[in-house]
Amino acid sequence: QEQLVESGGGLVKPGGSLRLACAASGFKFIDYNINWIRQAPGKGLEWLSYISPSGGAIFYADSVKGRFTISRDNSKNTVYLQMNSLRAEDTAVYYCARELRPYFEILTGFYVWGQGARVTVSS
Amino acid sequence: EIVLTQSPGTLSLSPGERATFSCRASQFVSSNYLAWYQQKPGQAPRLLIYGASSRATGIPDRFSGSGSGTAFTLTISRLEPEDFAVYYCQQYGSSPRTFGQGTKVEIK
């Protein structure tokens, strides 16, 4: 079964840091781009970041550029999101997701999603 | 950045009715890299359509997508009870891979 599982969420004070992990199983991890998306309470979806299979291509949304860092460890089938200088507006459920097809086929939307990791930024 | 504007904000329909959602992009969406998702409360989104018109694996054929360039449409031919949810469009042809603000389908 193709699966992504996020971990590392929690309560953090403004200005603090947190590292989320996204562990993959059931598919060939090195063949897929991975993305992070978040959803603030009662709000819509916000794409945050993308990493290619090799880690050679990385993109960020402007809202997190310079504060968040995406990385991956293909030996552990895991993608990370290091979040620094956290603000109240970063409070959200954070999802990792991968596309329907591997990177060498056509681009598609996000087919496999994790269950989400809740991050609360509050003093 | 490509801004996606979805309309209407809310659709009030009855089971069996046809639902039509609009997604307009502020710029051309390259290669029709436009996806539609369904999200129910407390759940992760589910991919319905990619490439503007291709159904994802396991998606019933009552869901269809159309459009190109800057104007896209999702249609549900006959609403089933499980289709009442929020629907989002997303462009993934350029970074940032933006989402629309969503359309909620509620039971009339």
Side-chain angles (χ1 to χ4, degrees), chain B residues 2-3 7 21 37 44-46 49-50 57 61 66 78 92 101 105:
Chain B
I2 297 178
V3 177
S7 60
F21 312 81
Y37 300 86
R46 177 171 74 140
I49 300 288
Y50 65 93
T57 304
D61 60 8
S66 63
R78 286 176 54 87
Y92 52 93
Q101 81 279 16
V105 182

Side-chain angles (χ1 to χ4, degrees), chain B residues 18-23 32 34-37 48-56 59-68 71-77 87-89:
Chain B
R18 182 184 187 90
T20 304
F21 312 81
S22 171
C23 177
N32 286 339
L34 193 287
W36 289 95
Y37 300 86
L48 300 174
I49 300 288
Y50 65 93
S53 61
S54 297
R55 271 188 300 276
I59 301 304
D61 60 8
R62 66 179 181 273
F63 292 91
S64 63
S66 63
S68 64
F72 300 89
T73 300
L74 173 70
T75 301
I76 308 175
S77 59
Y87 293 81
Y88 295 94
C89 60

